[in-house]
Amino acid sequence: MSSNSGKSMSMRSALLLWVLIPLIALTVLSTIVASHFAQGFASDFFDSFLLNSADSIAARVHAGKEGIAVANLPAESQALFGHNGEDRFFYRVVDSEGRSLAGNTSIDLPMPTQAMWHKFGSKKVADRVVRFCTVPTLTAAGTVIVQVGETVNSRSRLLHKVMMSILLPQIILICLACLSVWFGVGKGLQPLHQLQVVLRSRDKPNFSPVAIDHVPSELLPVLGALNDLFAGLGHQFRLQHEFIADAAHQLRTPVTAVKIYTDHMVRLGQNGPSHSALLGLEEASNRLTTMVNKLLLLARMEAKTTIETSEADLNQAVVVATNTVIQQAQGRHIEMIFDLPKVAVKVQADPDDVTELISNLLDNAIKYTPNNGSVWVFVREQQGAIVSLIVEDSGPGIPDEHKENIFKRFFRLPGATGAGCGLGMAIAKEITSSCNATISVSDRAGGGASFHIAFRKISRAV
Amino acid sequence: MKLLLVEDDPLVANSLMLALGGSGYAIDHVSDGGQAQISIATETYDLIILDLGLPDMDGLECLRTIRKRIIKVPVLILTARDAPKERIEGLDAGASDYVTKPFHLGELEARIRALQRLALGCDIVVETGELKWNTKTRTLCRGDEVVELSAKEHACLEVLLQNLNTLVTKQRLSSILSGDDAPVSFNAIDIIIHRLRKRLEPYGVRVQTVRGLGFRVEQ
């Protein structure tokens, strides 16, 4: 991942944000509008009740000989006016001089003035909002004013219900929108994820075009550009490898001639004055030969872009590889100790490549082991269909800071002498990756280096 | 002994003619497939050394044509193509042996000698230490004195000498020595080798043990 990944916002979050902002704005707006209208409806509805109550009370006002009398309002009616106890209901009857004739109110409703006639009003009384109306009625004894009021619990409840019935579906809608954006975008981004998996699984330089299923049209140009880039890189990569392979191949002919002449001259010049010079020439031509051969082998291994699927017998490969180095080991009194399984161990690899790999490891181990030292070779079947090949030596070991470097081309340990060309371990690394195996190096428990190659086993069951 | 060298590169051809000529071989050199066909038709050769990269035809094609005409002559392919697949193709096309460039002159000469022995069908004598082993009569001698061994020791030594300088695994020895009714265990192999080693030591023959893998006799 690039270093700016911490700052970048995921496409999913961005889309979610862009969907959420208008949705929330819409909800707020619709709530304000709905609240305004609902308040109007609830007000009209309950106000008509209040007016009816006022009329009922006005009907109880009688002008008699003793003046104006107001029939008492029974408690049941008051309860009815108070919406069955949910609200408190207040009323009072006053004459035109403002003298109270009847009423149940102890609260401080505003004294009715002519300006309030036939009108509704609200007043906050002792923490309660009270809605009231003032209705004048003409009797034989003059104008009597009836004022009724009620608390607004029922109104609030209705308003609340209306608001909830509008808000709830909207909240559910927002949640659903968020969910569908989250999962929809996730599903839409699946091809990108797939692309990432495909690209990451390429551990060898692989420049074949990327193919993924069900590519959305938006991704097609990206994929096209990526594949064009791959094609270009692949071409360059091939050219480079072809050049190395061709160069090594072309070098073979003159090197062959040098080698033949040198061998011939060493033979002729035995005991002659230039013998030691000829031996030096022979040594140089041998090293040149090795270098050219290894370079060509490395180029061939690097050119392999597909994972090996053939099978190789590891025991057999160890035997063949040992034959190429045994003389060298015996000559320097290095003991080679083997511990192999009794039965054939089949691994997923090209047999010639595995032999080459083991030869390189053994050659390396012997080269860096002092005279009279030891080299060990173990083959162990591990859990999970893995077979380990372990090559250890009693040499000086590899310092930690160079453990990664030894797999690089032409790397040689500082102070290393001898005929190594620095390609053996690079070849070993290429071979392991061509057969889907891994190679690592550590310190051997008693001094020396320990190389560990983990192959994929081919199960014996057919 | 007369050789035909089919090699288009003068550098390699001249060096080989000098070196092989110095070892006493008579060599005719041609530099393309057409000339090679003519030479083969007019002259008899004991061995043909053939380069695969020829200017006028593919070396393998040339080899197939040679094989149509003469079946027996040993043909040693000398080439820069060393991929296993190419080696297999070469041998399948009728080559007797395959040497990749660059090579050690001594190895090339040893292979020429080996092919010659095979072609002549002569007794092949393997020499090790002071002993000589005749592969045809299957006898082991020091000078005129015949060295006697037990049947199992004899069989064991034969395998080791047939694979001189090469590792022979215990498994292989065991499977060669075992009959259907009498299997030979790894322990038994160890005992046979131990006796063989004692028996051959006075003649300067060393049977080397490669621990955990097998045995080897060096020339």
Side-chain angles (χ1 to χ4, degrees):
Chain A
M1 276 277 134
S2 63
S3 58
N4 63 4
S5 63
K7 290 177 200 165
S8 73
M9 189 185 196
S10 89
M11 206 188 267
R12 197 183 254 185
S13 308
L15 274 173
L16 204 58
L17 198 65
W18 282 109
V19 169
L20 264 180
I21 289 171
L23 272 182
I24 288 175
L26 188 69
T27 305
V28 170
L29 193 71
S30 70
T31 307
I32 292 169
V33 173
S35 149
H36 178 75
F37 282 109
Q39 216 150 14
F41 293 142
S43 210
D44 288 352
F45 181 66
F46 280 94
D47 283 353
S48 66
F49 275 115
L50 199 59
L51 196 60
N52 279 342
S53 309
D55 284 344
S56 302
I57 289 165
R60 289 171 176 269
V61 176
H62 302 287
K65 284 177 207 124
E66 305 88 39
I68 296 164
V70 182
N72 266 340
L73 201 60
E76 297 80 36
S77 300
Q78 286 194 38
L80 196 66
F81 292 152
H83 308 294
N84 289 321
E86 206 172 331
D87 281 305
R88 290 214 34 210
F89 178 74
F90 314 101
Y91 75 96
R92 70 174 166 198
V93 184
V94 293
D95 63 13
S96 52
E97 263 71 59
R99 284 187 298 261
S100 180
L101 301 173
N104 70 345
T105 180
S106 53
I107 64 160
D108 188 19
L109 279 176
M111 191 45 76
T113 59
Q114 201 157 353
M116 290 159 67
W117 289 7
H118 301 294
K119 286 199 177 136
F120 290 89
S122 296
K123 185 169 195 269
K124 196 163 183 183
V125 182
D127 291 337
R128 289 180 299 191
V129 178
V130 174
R131 180 80 174 165
F132 64 92
C133 73
T134 313
V135 181
T137 178
L138 204 60
T139 65
T143 305
V144 172
I145 296 122
V146 175
Q147 195 175 38
V148 292
E150 62 181 8
T151 52
V152 294
N153 295 343
S154 296
R155 292 164 191 254
S156 306
R157 215 160 62 83
L158 179 67
L159 192 63
H160 185 73
K161 274 186 179 169
V162 171
M163 289 309 296
M164 282 315 283
S165 66
I166 292 167
L167 258 181
L168 214 60
Q170 293 207 19
I171 289 169
I172 292 172
L173 183 74
I174 290 178
C175 291
L176 282 178
C178 290
L179 277 177
S180 71
V181 165
W182 192 257
F183 287 108
V185 172
K187 184 116 183 79
L189 291 181
Q190 200 85 47
L192 271 182
H193 180 69
Q194 208 184 339
L195 184 66
Q196 182 207 343
V197 171
V198 168
L199 290 180
R200 274 186 190 266
S201 65
R202 298 183 165 193
D203 48 356
K204 260 185 89 79
N206 177 355
F207 299 108
S208 60
V210 179
I212 54 175
D213 312 326
H214 314 299
V215 187
S217 53
E218 290 87 344
L219 202 56
L220 272 178
V222 178
L223 203 60
L226 195 66
N227 283 339
D228 285 349
L229 181 69
F230 272 154
L233 280 176
H235 183 63
Q236 287 302 321
F237 191 73
R238 264 195 310 280
L239 281 184
Q240 196 198 337
H241 281 291
E242 273 167 20
F243 173 74
I244 296 172
D246 287 348
H249 199 77
Q250 291 303 319
L251 278 172
R252 282 191 157 185
T253 303
V255 166
T256 303
V258 168
K259 184 100 184 73
I260 294 168
Y261 281 125
T262 315
D263 289 349
H264 182 61
M265 280 189 330
V266 168
R267 207 181 271 172
L268 290 180
Q270 295 222 352
N271 308 321
S274 53
H275 188 58
S276 62
L278 285 174
L279 285 182
L281 192 60
E282 187 186 30
E283 166 69 24
S285 76
N286 283 345
R287 199 189 290 189
L288 191 60
T289 304
T290 311
M291 176 87 86
V292 166
N293 282 339
K294 296 224 157 171
L295 206 56
L296 197 62
L297 183 66
L298 183 64
R300 196 162 61 221
M301 290 316 304
E302 284 181 337
K304 276 196 181 181
T305 48
T306 50
I307 294 292
E308 194 59 58
T309 52
S310 50
E311 61 179 70
D313 177 356
L314 213 49
N315 285 353
Q316 180 65 30
V318 168
V319 172
V320 177
T322 304
N323 269 323
T324 63
V325 296
I326 187 90
Q327 193 123 21
Q328 193 188 346
Q330 302 273 4
R332 292 184 42 222
H333 303 287
I334 292 169
E335 190 179 18
M336 300 188 76
I337 301 152
F338 295 82
D339 186 2
L340 312 178
K342 293 266 184 291
V343 288
V345 185
K346 302 277 189 193
V347 296
Q348 182 191 320
D350 179 88
D352 289 304
D353 289 352
V354 173
T355 306
E356 187 63 43
L357 165 69
I358 301 171
S359 298
N360 277 298
L361 289 173
L362 292 180
D363 183 58
N364 190 68
I366 291 167
K367 214 171 272 165
Y368 288 101
T369 299
N371 290 356
N372 304 310
S374 303
V375 170
W376 294 264
V377 179
F378 308 101
V379 172
R380 302 236 191 283
E381 296 192 42
Q382 312 278 15
Q383 289 190 330
I386 296 287
V387 181
S388 293
L389 169 80
I390 299 154
V391 175
E392 299 188 335
D393 60 66
S394 61
I398 295 155
D400 284 342
E401 66 265 32
H402 292 310
K403 283 202 168 74
E404 280 300 308
N405 294 337
I406 56 162
F407 297 110
K408 290 178 184 162
R409 279 176 243 169
F410 299 113
F411 178 81
R412 299 192 67 198
L413 282 173
T417 51
C421 64
L423 284 175
M425 286 298 113
I427 290 171
K429 174 106 184 158
E430 280 302 324
I431 293 175
T432 49
S433 56
S434 83
C435 55
N436 218 355
T438 57
I439 185 166
S440 59
V441 62
S442 55
D443 295 323
R444 189 180 80 90
S450 173
F451 285 88
H452 181 189
I453 293 113
F455 289 100
R456 277 168 205 275
K457 187 178 152 187
I458 291 177
S459 89
R460 277 197 208 89
V462 180
Chain B
M1 181 166 172
K2 189 144 200 190
L3 311 181
L4 176 66
L5 174 65
V6 189
E7 164 69 67
D8 66 316
D9 193 292
L11 205 54
V12 176
N14 291 340
S15 65
L16 266 179
M17 280 167 68
L18 180 72
L20 292 178
S23 297
Y25 293 102
I27 306 162
D28 282 353
H29 169 229
V30 292
S31 49
D32 63 51
Q35 286 180 48
Q37 308 284 355
I38 296 165
S39 297
I40 288 163
T42 52
E43 182 80 60
T44 309
Y45 293 100
D46 297 310
L47 188 129
I48 298 169
I49 298 175
L50 177 67
D51 176 41
L52 286 189
L54 296 176
D56 58 340
M57 67 167 80
D58 184 69
L60 288 181
E61 199 49 54
C62 182
L63 175 57
R64 286 191 194 98
T65 328
I66 295 170
R67 277 285 172 247
K68 267 181 207 159
R69 203 177 301 203
I70 12 175
I71 312 293
K72 280 182 92 176
V73 64
V75 176
L76 194 153
I77 286 182
L78 203 63
T79 179
R81 302 180 201 167
D82 74 335
K85 197 175 149 254
E86 291 163 335
R87 273 183 261 168
I88 293 165
E89 273 177 6
L91 292 172
D92 282 348
S96 316
D97 204 352
Y98 202 101
V99 175
T100 53
K101 294 177 189 172
F103 48 84
H104 194 281
L105 183 61
E107 187 190 338
L108 178 73
E109 288 181 349
R111 283 177 190 273
I112 291 172
R113 285 197 298 273
L115 289 177
Q116 199 53 35
R117 282 198 300 267
L118 264 179
L120 296 176
C122 60
D123 288 11
I124 298 168
V125 176
V126 180
E127 283 183 52
T128 170
E130 299 168 22
L131 297 179
K132 281 186 179 169
W133 167 263
N134 189 313
T135 54
K136 256 197 167 170
T137 58
R138 301 178 72 216
T139 48
L140 188 69
C141 308
R142 176 166 68 171
D144 294 334
E145 172 205 352
V146 174
V147 179
E148 296 288 350
L149 295 171
S150 77
K152 287 269 190 259
E153 289 165 5
H154 198 109
C156 217
L157 181 66
E158 185 171 26
V159 178
L160 289 171
L161 290 182
Q162 277 165 356
N163 297 279
L164 203 63
N165 295 327
T166 309
L167 252 169
V168 180
T169 61
K170 255 190 213 180
Q171 277 96 332
R172 193 157 159 222
L173 274 177
S174 165
S175 74
I176 291 173
L177 297 193
S178 296
D180 287 340
D181 48 343
V184 177
S185 69
F186 283 9
N187 283 341
I189 299 276
D190 285 334
I191 294 166
I192 295 167
I193 291 286
H194 178 75
R195 284 205 303 254
L196 195 59
R197 185 175 286 142
K198 274 195 148 177
R199 189 86 178 77
L200 297 181
E201 229 160 26
Y203 303 103
V205 176
R206 226 161 64 80
V207 181
Q208 297 167 346
T209 301
V210 181
R211 253 167 76 186
L213 209 57
F215 309 95
R216 177 172 174 270
V217 171
E218 209 168 302
Q219 198 155 24

